[in-house]
Amino acid sequence: MSAPGPATRRLHRDDPYLLEFDAQVLARREHEGRPAVVLDRTAFYAESGGQPWDTGTLDGVPVVAVVEQDGDVLHVLGGPLESRAVHGRVDADRRRDHMQQHHGQHLLSRAFVETASTATVSFHLGADVSTIDLDAVVSEEAVRKAETLSNEIVWSGRPVRSRLVSRREAEDLGVHAADEAGDEVRLVEAEGFDLQACGGTHPERTSEVGVVLVLGHERYKAGSRVRFVCGARAVAAFRARTSAVDQVGALLSSPLDDLTASVARLQEKLAEATRRGREMTDRALRAEAARLIAAAGSPAIVTAIYDAWPADDLRALAQHLVAGGTCVALLASRAEKVHLVFAQSEGLPHDIPGLLRQALAEIGGRGGGRGNLAQGGSDSAAGLEPALAGAERAVRERSAA
Ligand SMILES: [Zn+2]
């Protein structure tokens, strides 16, 4: 850390609703290749304590980031700013969103202490969803209890107040403050419910949070991670889910109260159809193998190219062919890509992996295998027929020797 720079009065600490202000530029810097200014006073919140920075403008120039650096509040700008006296405007929607999420987090974290004796070890206010990490694993029931209590506190519209106290006073009140908070600790209190050290922007009343909605939770490290949204984000999340559910309902021609059962029935049908499909495919593959063996001379060397067969089917056909006795199968499927499967019956003398490598080299592909079965593929079908013919010739020569 270098020596602290000029101090900036942080207007948002006394009035989180102040969105416009006048200030003097105290210093000009550069931050990650962009111009940045330090002001004598600011309503812009610098990223800290899990809450992202405010955006807005200074004299019409976009403020793209606000960061603390060596004790200074750097307003990082999207373009040059010449004037010394500037007028600042904070983006109102983003500020209100952050206040809703951050205060909602205070209430939800306290609710987990009250209902599940679980403390929050970290908080992240994300672009879409926020998370808290709890120091214990919580059940679905515990999560819903904490959510319910949070909303009761929201809807009771309790006053929220902030004040500066000495570290000693904070400790006497049972509030733990991080070391970097210094000797003066800012307390944020939701009357009669929550008291904690925090530098963030909070509303005047809990009711401004609107609603606290837990979207989900999962085990994380030794505890649980809880995903949540508050206020306008909760409305947006509800809309998105409603729209998705409505679309699924329309696709299935199913009313909402039968939707789960409809999906379950569909899954059952799909499982049955998949099972039947596999059975029919296997029958067809066995019949195809029998036809090919019958048509092949002796020694039985089957060379065949199919259009757009799945690799699994090609491999199954090869296995059926070689299982019957003495057969060499040189199979290919041709679609956008080419797939090759070479196989021979147990006891035949050919170097199947070597034959495959040779064929793949001719069509610019990759693959491998061991013993009696090898497979591979290529992005191009150019030269496929001559490559297979070459492999067949090698097998005939070896068989005749
Ligand atoms: Zn906070």
Side-chain angles (χ1 to χ4, degrees):
M1 295 255 294
S2 60
T8 303
R9 238 186 96 201
R10 304 188 195 210
L11 304 172
H12 53 78
R13 285 189 174 162
D14 296 325
D15 184 1
Y17 296 93
L18 180 72
L19 298 172
E20 292 201 35
F21 64 100
D22 292 299
Q24 300 286 321
V25 173
L26 295 183
R28 295 175 195 276
R29 306 266 165 81
E30 197 173 278
H31 184 77
E32 293 174 356
R34 288 177 181 277
V37 291
V38 179
L39 305 176
D40 65 338
R41 54 211 297 274
T42 187
F44 282 92
Y45 183 79
E47 179 168 59
S48 141
Q51 182 177 332
W53 58 64
D54 285 323
T55 57
T57 57
L58 287 177
D59 272 8
V61 177
V63 173
V64 296
V66 187
V67 294
E68 281 190 45
Q69 201 175 62
D70 302 336
D72 284 342
V73 178
L74 289 191
H75 300 73
V76 184
L77 302 169
L81 177 67
E82 307 297 338
S83 37
R84 199 175 129 66
V86 293
H87 185 70
R89 272 176 212 271
V90 175
D91 183 294
D93 289 347
R94 183 171 162 97
R95 164 64 67 78
R96 186 180 59 187
D97 173 53
H98 290 169
M99 283 163 69
Q100 287 183 326
Q101 311 315 314
H102 193 160
H103 196 68
Q105 178 265 316
H106 277 215
L107 301 182
L108 185 60
S109 288
R110 174 61 57 186
F112 273 111
V113 173
E114 299 292 327
T115 63
S117 304
T118 307
T120 293
V121 291
S122 75
F123 161 50
H124 175 69
L125 201 170
D128 300 309
V129 172
S130 299
T131 57
I132 52 173
D133 294 337
L134 301 173
D135 66 1
V137 177
V138 287
S139 67
E140 171 68 16
E141 195 194 350
V143 167
R144 293 309 153 197
K145 261 192 190 164
E147 182 190 53
T148 300
L149 177 57
S150 304
N151 282 314
E152 279 167 7
I153 300 299
V154 168
W155 299 328
S156 67
R158 296 184 189 215
V160 177
R161 297 187 192 91
S162 68
R163 63 183 193 275
L164 282 174
V165 300
S166 69
R167 175 169 286 275
R168 176 72 196 276
E169 278 174 86
E171 278 161 10
D172 288 346
L173 288 164
V175 174
H176 170 77
D179 290 343
E180 57 264 32
D183 291 334
E184 273 205 323
V185 176
R186 183 171 183 261
L187 297 180
V188 173
E189 178 174 22
E191 191 181 86
F193 185 64
D194 179 56
L195 178 67
Q196 57 180 287
C198 178
T201 52
H202 291 270
E204 271 176 354
R205 289 195 173 266
T206 57
S207 47
E208 286 186 46
V209 172
V211 65
V212 177
L213 179 65
V214 173
L215 296 178
H217 58 98
E218 48 268 324
R219 278 171 185 253
Y220 182 74
K221 293 185 180 170
S224 288
R225 171 164 285 182
V226 178
R227 289 174 281 118
F228 69 97
V229 284
C230 301
R233 288 194 191 193
V235 175
F238 181 75
R239 275 195 200 134
R241 280 155 181 73
T242 302
S243 161
V245 166
D246 286 350
Q247 287 176 52
V248 172
L251 285 171
L252 297 177
S253 306
S254 167
L256 182 61
D257 57 7
D258 192 45
L259 197 55
T260 312
S262 293
V263 172
R265 283 194 295 276
L266 196 67
Q267 277 182 325
E268 260 171 49
K269 274 190 197 168
L270 180 65
E272 174 60 14
T274 304
R275 194 187 60 74
R276 291 272 300 154
R278 271 198 214 110
E279 213 175 272
M280 300 303 286
T281 302
D282 192 56
R283 257 189 241 178
L285 289 175
R286 283 175 194 279
E288 176 70 357
R291 186 186 71 79
L292 289 168
I293 292 281
S298 178
I301 303 166
V302 173
T303 304
I305 300 175
Y306 294 94
D307 281 329
W309 270 33
D312 284 351
D313 288 355
L314 202 66
R315 184 189 167 101
L317 177 62
Q319 283 165 336
H320 288 317
L321 283 168
V322 302
T326 53
C327 178
V328 175
L330 306 170
L331 307 180
S333 166
R334 177 167 48 192
E336 273 173 27
K337 294 183 175 187
V338 166
H339 190 74
L340 295 184
V341 178
F342 287 7
Q344 69 182 346
S345 300
E346 222 30 78
L348 293 186
H350 307 287
D351 174 15
I352 292 294
L355 289 168
L356 181 90
R357 268 197 304 279
Q358 175 61 34
L360 286 173
E362 287 173 38
I363 63 170
R366 287 193 316 273
R370 271 189 309 187
N372 292 328
L373 192 138
Q375 54 188 336
S378 169
D379 292 334
S380 159
L384 178 61
E385 280 94 347
L388 284 185
E392 181 176 334
R393 206 160 44 242
V395 170
R396 287 195 189 284
E397 280 164 11
R398 177 90 193 253
S399 302

